[in-house]
mmCIF file of all heavy atoms in Angstrom:
data_model
loop_
_atom_site.group_PDB
_atom_site.id
_atom_site.type_symbol
_atom_site.label_atom_id
_atom_site.label_comp_id
_atom_site.label_asym_id
_atom_site.label_seq_id
_atom_site.Cartn_x
_atom_site.Cartn_y
_atom_site.Cartn_z
ATOM 1 N N ARG L 293 8.114 1.902 1.174
ATOM 2 C CA ARG L 293 8.796 2.371 -0.015
ATOM 3 C C ARG L 293 8.257 1.617 -1.275
ATOM 4 O O ARG L 293 7.864 0.464 -1.144
ATOM 5 C CB ARG L 293 10.402 2.287 0.046
ATOM 6 C CG ARG L 293 10.902 1.019 0.206
ATOM 7 C CD ARG L 293 12.459 1.026 0.298
ATOM 8 N NE ARG L 293 13.017 1.369 -1.127
ATOM 9 C CZ ARG L 293 14.266 1.552 -1.322
ATOM 10 N NH1 ARG L 293 15.150 1.486 -0.228
ATOM 11 N NH2 ARG L 293 14.672 1.779 -2.490
ATOM 12 N N GLN L 294 8.154 2.357 -2.388
ATOM 13 C CA GLN L 294 7.639 1.748 -3.516
ATOM 14 C C GLN L 294 8.632 1.928 -4.698
ATOM 15 O O GLN L 294 9.042 2.982 -5.105
ATOM 16 C CB GLN L 294 6.327 2.402 -4.030
ATOM 17 C CG GLN L 294 5.633 1.671 -5.210
ATOM 18 C CD GLN L 294 4.283 2.294 -5.466
ATOM 19 O OE1 GLN L 294 4.059 3.472 -5.507
ATOM 20 N NE2 GLN L 294 3.256 1.393 -5.794
ATOM 21 N N ASP L 295 9.152 0.757 -5.199
ATOM 22 C CA ASP L 295 10.128 0.670 -6.284
ATOM 23 C C ASP L 295 9.471 -0.089 -7.437
ATOM 24 O O ASP L 295 8.663 -1.057 -7.202
ATOM 25 C CB ASP L 295 11.409 0.037 -5.749
ATOM 26 C CG ASP L 295 11.934 0.686 -4.610
ATOM 27 O OD1 ASP L 295 12.411 1.878 -4.847
ATOM 28 O OD2 ASP L 295 11.880 0.174 -3.489
ATOM 29 N N PRO L 296 9.901 0.276 -8.669
ATOM 30 C CA PRO L 296 9.218 -0.426 -9.893
ATOM 31 C C PRO L 296 9.424 -1.985 -9.747
ATOM 32 O O PRO L 296 10.511 -2.543 -9.463
ATOM 33 C CB PRO L 296 10.121 0.044 -10.967
ATOM 34 C CG PRO L 296 10.622 1.433 -10.533
ATOM 35 C CD PRO L 296 10.764 1.283 -9.063
ATOM 36 N N GLY L 297 8.350 -2.705 -9.951
ATOM 37 C CA GLY L 297 8.369 -4.254 -9.963
ATOM 38 C C GLY L 297 8.409 -4.829 -8.542
ATOM 39 O O GLY L 297 8.336 -5.976 -8.480
ATOM 40 N N MET L 298 8.546 -3.970 -7.484
ATOM 41 C CA MET L 298 8.790 -4.553 -6.103
ATOM 42 C C MET L 298 7.489 -4.439 -5.323
ATOM 43 O O MET L 298 7.344 -4.959 -4.192
ATOM 44 C CB MET L 298 9.872 -3.828 -5.459
ATOM 45 C CG MET L 298 11.235 -3.931 -6.187
ATOM 46 S SD MET L 298 11.928 -5.568 -6.191
ATOM 47 C CE MET L 298 12.329 -5.638 -4.475
ATOM 48 N N GLY L 299 6.492 -3.597 -5.686
ATOM 49 C CA GLY L 299 5.425 -3.355 -4.775
ATOM 50 C C GLY L 299 5.729 -2.457 -3.612
ATOM 51 O O GLY L 299 6.870 -1.889 -3.634
ATOM 52 N N LEU L 300 4.889 -2.412 -2.742
ATOM 53 C CA LEU L 300 5.076 -1.553 -1.501
ATOM 54 C C LEU L 300 5.759 -2.506 -0.502
ATOM 55 O O LEU L 300 5.280 -3.545 -0.115
ATOM 56 C CB LEU L 300 3.738 -1.117 -0.964
ATOM 57 C CG LEU L 300 3.083 -0.004 -1.820
ATOM 58 C CD1 LEU L 300 1.611 0.102 -1.535
ATOM 59 C CD2 LEU L 300 3.788 1.375 -1.470
ATOM 60 N N ARG L 301 6.915 -2.003 0.043
ATOM 61 C CA ARG L 301 7.588 -2.748 1.065
ATOM 62 C C ARG L 301 7.582 -1.951 2.368
ATOM 63 O O ARG L 301 7.946 -0.746 2.436
ATOM 64 C CB ARG L 301 8.962 -3.058 0.608
ATOM 65 C CG ARG L 301 9.010 -4.122 -0.504
ATOM 66 C CD ARG L 301 10.428 -4.383 -0.859
ATOM 67 N NE ARG L 301 11.141 -3.272 -1.548
ATOM 68 C CZ ARG L 301 12.457 -3.255 -1.669
ATOM 69 N NH1 ARG L 301 13.227 -4.281 -1.377
ATOM 70 N NH2 ARG L 301 13.024 -2.166 -2.237
ATOM 71 N N PRO L 340 22.420 5.805 -2.647
ATOM 72 C CA PRO L 340 21.676 5.763 -3.905
ATOM 73 C C PRO L 340 20.541 4.684 -3.929
ATOM 74 O O PRO L 340 19.491 4.783 -4.531
ATOM 75 C CB PRO L 340 22.670 5.513 -4.928
ATOM 76 C CG PRO L 340 23.923 6.120 -4.405
ATOM 77 C CD PRO L 340 23.887 5.874 -2.882
ATOM 78 N N SER L 341 20.684 3.646 -3.200
ATOM 79 C CA SER L 341 19.714 2.536 -3.057
ATOM 80 C C SER L 341 18.457 3.014 -2.364
ATOM 81 O O SER L 341 17.447 2.213 -2.399
ATOM 82 C CB SER L 341 20.356 1.344 -2.378
ATOM 83 O OG SER L 341 20.670 1.684 -0.970
ATOM 84 N N GLN L 342 18.518 4.174 -1.669
ATOM 85 C CA GLN L 342 17.344 4.722 -1.117
ATOM 86 C C GLN L 342 16.528 5.645 -1.924
ATOM 87 O O GLN L 342 15.526 6.227 -1.540
ATOM 88 C CB GLN L 342 17.761 5.337 0.248
ATOM 89 C CG GLN L 342 18.309 4.383 1.281
ATOM 90 C CD GLN L 342 18.675 5.058 2.580
ATOM 91 O OE1 GLN L 342 19.480 5.989 2.494
ATOM 92 N NE2 GLN L 342 18.209 4.684 3.689
ATOM 93 N N THR L 343 16.968 5.772 -3.222
ATOM 94 C CA THR L 343 16.118 6.454 -4.216
ATOM 95 C C THR L 343 14.807 5.685 -4.394
ATOM 96 O O THR L 343 14.837 4.487 -4.768
ATOM 97 C CB THR L 343 16.850 6.600 -5.552
ATOM 98 O OG1 THR L 343 17.988 7.436 -5.356
ATOM 99 C CG2 THR L 343 15.987 7.199 -6.603
ATOM 100 N N SER L 344 13.725 6.367 -4.112
ATOM 101 C CA SER L 344 12.421 5.660 -4.066
ATOM 102 C C SER L 344 11.291 6.717 -3.878
ATOM 103 O O SER L 344 11.576 7.854 -3.699
ATOM 104 C CB SER L 344 12.394 4.592 -3.007
ATOM 105 O OG SER L 344 11.205 3.758 -3.075
ATOM 106 N N VAL L 345 10.103 6.120 -3.946
ATOM 107 C CA VAL L 345 8.969 6.948 -3.528
ATOM 108 C C VAL L 345 8.491 6.364 -2.198
ATOM 109 O O VAL L 345 8.277 5.133 -2.037
ATOM 110 C CB VAL L 345 7.730 6.829 -4.569
ATOM 111 C CG1 VAL L 345 6.573 7.673 -4.150
ATOM 112 C CG2 VAL L 345 8.182 7.307 -5.918
ATOM 113 N N TYR L 346 8.344 7.246 -1.239
ATOM 114 C CA TYR L 346 8.046 6.799 0.182
ATOM 115 C C TYR L 346 6.573 7.196 0.430
ATOM 116 O O TYR L 346 6.111 8.340 0.181
ATOM 117 C CB TYR L 346 8.916 7.472 1.151
ATOM 118 C CG TYR L 346 10.389 7.006 1.039
ATOM 119 C CD1 TYR L 346 11.181 7.465 0.044
ATOM 120 C CD2 TYR L 346 10.849 5.938 1.881
ATOM 121 C CE1 TYR L 346 12.479 7.030 -0.008
ATOM 122 C CE2 TYR L 346 12.070 5.443 1.678
ATOM 123 C CZ TYR L 346 12.980 5.895 0.767
ATOM 124 O OH TYR L 346 14.253 5.492 0.656
ATOM 125 N N PHE L 347 5.871 6.209 0.995
ATOM 126 C CA PHE L 347 4.467 6.518 1.365
ATOM 127 C C PHE L 347 4.222 6.210 2.947
ATOM 128 O O PHE L 347 4.701 5.265 3.413
ATOM 129 C CB PHE L 347 3.512 5.543 0.611
ATOM 130 C CG PHE L 347 3.367 5.876 -0.808
ATOM 131 C CD1 PHE L 347 4.087 5.218 -1.754
ATOM 132 C CD2 PHE L 347 2.446 6.966 -1.198
ATOM 133 C CE1 PHE L 347 3.932 5.541 -3.117
ATOM 134 C CE2 PHE L 347 2.351 7.219 -2.545
ATOM 135 C CZ PHE L 347 3.082 6.563 -3.470
ATOM 136 N N ARG L 368 8.847 11.861 -3.083
ATOM 137 C CA ARG L 368 9.858 11.232 -4.123
ATOM 138 C C ARG L 368 11.217 11.614 -3.778
ATOM 139 O O ARG L 368 11.536 12.859 -3.682
ATOM 140 C CB ARG L 368 9.532 11.714 -5.584
ATOM 141 C CG ARG L 368 8.191 11.145 -6.075
ATOM 142 C CD ARG L 368 7.945 11.715 -7.507
ATOM 143 N NE ARG L 368 6.794 10.899 -7.936
ATOM 144 C CZ ARG L 368 6.794 9.752 -8.572
ATOM 145 N NH1 ARG L 368 8.099 9.274 -8.873
ATOM 146 N NH2 ARG L 368 5.778 9.119 -8.927
ATOM 147 N N LEU L 369 12.055 10.704 -3.485
ATOM 148 C CA LEU L 369 13.436 10.987 -2.897
ATOM 149 C C LEU L 369 14.376 10.435 -4.019
ATOM 150 O O LEU L 369 14.372 9.337 -4.451
ATOM 151 C CB LEU L 369 13.631 10.327 -1.664
ATOM 152 C CG LEU L 369 15.186 10.468 -1.047
ATOM 153 C CD1 LEU L 369 15.462 11.886 -0.750
ATOM 154 C CD2 LEU L 369 15.294 9.587 0.117
ATOM 155 N N LYS D 285 7.710 -15.166 -4.485
ATOM 156 C CA LYS D 285 7.226 -14.123 -3.733
ATOM 157 C C LYS D 285 5.962 -14.554 -3.066
ATOM 158 O O LYS D 285 5.139 -15.394 -3.564
ATOM 159 C CB LYS D 285 6.887 -12.925 -4.672
ATOM 160 C CG LYS D 285 8.185 -12.241 -5.189
ATOM 161 C CD LYS D 285 7.855 -11.128 -6.055
ATOM 162 C CE LYS D 285 9.163 -10.376 -6.615
ATOM 163 N NZ LYS D 285 8.850 -9.315 -7.459
ATOM 164 N N GLN D 289 1.583 -10.918 -8.987
ATOM 165 C CA GLN D 289 0.582 -10.139 -9.779
ATOM 166 C C GLN D 289 1.217 -9.815 -11.102
ATOM 167 O O GLN D 289 2.368 -9.392 -11.091
ATOM 168 C CB GLN D 289 0.187 -8.917 -8.930
ATOM 169 C CG GLN D 289 -0.907 -8.114 -9.500
ATOM 170 C CD GLN D 289 -1.334 -6.859 -8.600
ATOM 171 O OE1 GLN D 289 -0.657 -6.574 -7.651
ATOM 172 N NE2 GLN D 289 -2.361 -6.193 -8.965
ATOM 173 N N PRO D 291 2.265 -7.692 -13.931
ATOM 174 C CA PRO D 291 2.456 -6.244 -13.921
ATOM 175 C C PRO D 291 1.727 -5.490 -15.129
ATOM 176 O O PRO D 291 1.684 -4.262 -15.041
ATOM 177 C CB PRO D 291 3.870 -5.985 -13.931
ATOM 178 C CG PRO D 291 4.524 -7.328 -14.596
ATOM 179 C CD PRO D 291 3.533 -8.305 -14.150
ATOM 180 N N GLN D 321 -4.177 3.017 -7.609
ATOM 181 C CA GLN D 321 -3.179 4.103 -7.535
ATOM 182 C C GLN D 321 -3.074 4.773 -8.881
ATOM 183 O O GLN D 321 -2.609 4.219 -9.800
ATOM 184 C CB GLN D 321 -1.866 3.473 -7.156
ATOM 185 C CG GLN D 321 -0.789 4.591 -6.908
ATOM 186 C CD GLN D 321 0.561 3.991 -6.418
ATOM 187 O OE1 GLN D 321 0.810 2.812 -6.559
ATOM 188 N NE2 GLN D 321 1.390 4.789 -5.770
ATOM 189 N N THR D 369 -2.930 2.046 -11.686
ATOM 190 C CA THR D 369 -2.303 0.735 -11.312
ATOM 191 C C THR D 369 -3.198 0.190 -10.107
ATOM 192 O O THR D 369 -3.510 0.876 -9.249
ATOM 193 C CB THR D 369 -0.830 0.995 -10.823
ATOM 194 O OG1 THR D 369 -0.115 1.411 -11.962
ATOM 195 C CG2 THR D 369 -0.265 -0.293 -10.305
ATOM 196 N N LEU D 371 -3.339 -2.578 -7.132
ATOM 197 C CA LEU D 371 -2.543 -3.363 -6.208
ATOM 198 C C LEU D 371 -3.445 -4.275 -5.311
ATOM 199 O O LEU D 371 -4.376 -3.786 -4.795
ATOM 200 C CB LEU D 371 -1.736 -2.363 -5.231
ATOM 201 C CG LEU D 371 -0.884 -1.196 -5.902
ATOM 202 C CD1 LEU D 371 -0.558 -0.256 -4.762
ATOM 203 C CD2 LEU D 371 0.287 -1.786 -6.484
ATOM 204 N N GLY D 386 0.995 -6.934 -3.616
ATOM 205 C CA GLY D 386 1.544 -7.346 -4.883
ATOM 206 C C GLY D 386 2.143 -6.143 -5.604
ATOM 207 O O GLY D 386 1.923 -4.980 -5.160
ATOM 208 N N PRO D 387 2.903 -6.321 -6.694
ATOM 209 C CA PRO D 387 3.599 -5.297 -7.347
ATOM 210 C C PRO D 387 2.746 -4.341 -8.107
ATOM 211 O O PRO D 387 3.081 -3.241 -8.482
ATOM 212 C CB PRO D 387 4.572 -5.965 -8.243
ATOM 213 C CG PRO D 387 4.008 -7.351 -8.480
ATOM 214 C CD PRO D 387 3.245 -7.620 -7.250
ATOM 215 N N GLY D 388 1.483 -4.801 -8.310
ATOM 216 C CA GLY D 388 0.488 -3.956 -9.122
ATOM 217 C C GLY D 388 0.377 -4.258 -10.527
ATOM 218 O O GLY D 388 1.391 -4.663 -11.199
ATOM 219 N N ARG D 390 -0.747 -2.431 -14.098
ATOM 220 C CA ARG D 390 -1.055 -1.212 -14.751
ATOM 221 C C ARG D 390 -2.106 -1.289 -15.799
ATOM 222 O O ARG D 390 -1.929 -2.105 -16.692
ATOM 223 C CB ARG D 390 0.215 -0.561 -15.328
ATOM 224 C CG ARG D 390 -0.020 0.936 -15.808
ATOM 225 C CD ARG D 390 1.260 1.709 -15.768
ATOM 226 N NE ARG D 390 2.377 1.069 -16.533
ATOM 227 C CZ ARG D 390 2.671 1.428 -17.816
ATOM 228 N NH1 ARG D 390 1.873 2.291 -18.443
ATOM 229 N NH2 ARG D 390 3.679 0.766 -18.499
#
Side-chain angles (χ1 to χ4, degrees):
Chain L
R293 59 178 289 173
Q294 187 175 39
D295 302 290
M298 302 290 289
L300 288 158
R301 292 183 292 167
S341 60
Q342 293 178 304
T343 293
S344 188
V345 182
Y346 291 85
F347 288 99
R368 291 181 172 270
L369 176 67
Chain D
K285 291 182 181 177
Q289 186 176 8
Q321 184 176 21
T369 297
L371 307 168
R390 190 153 56 93

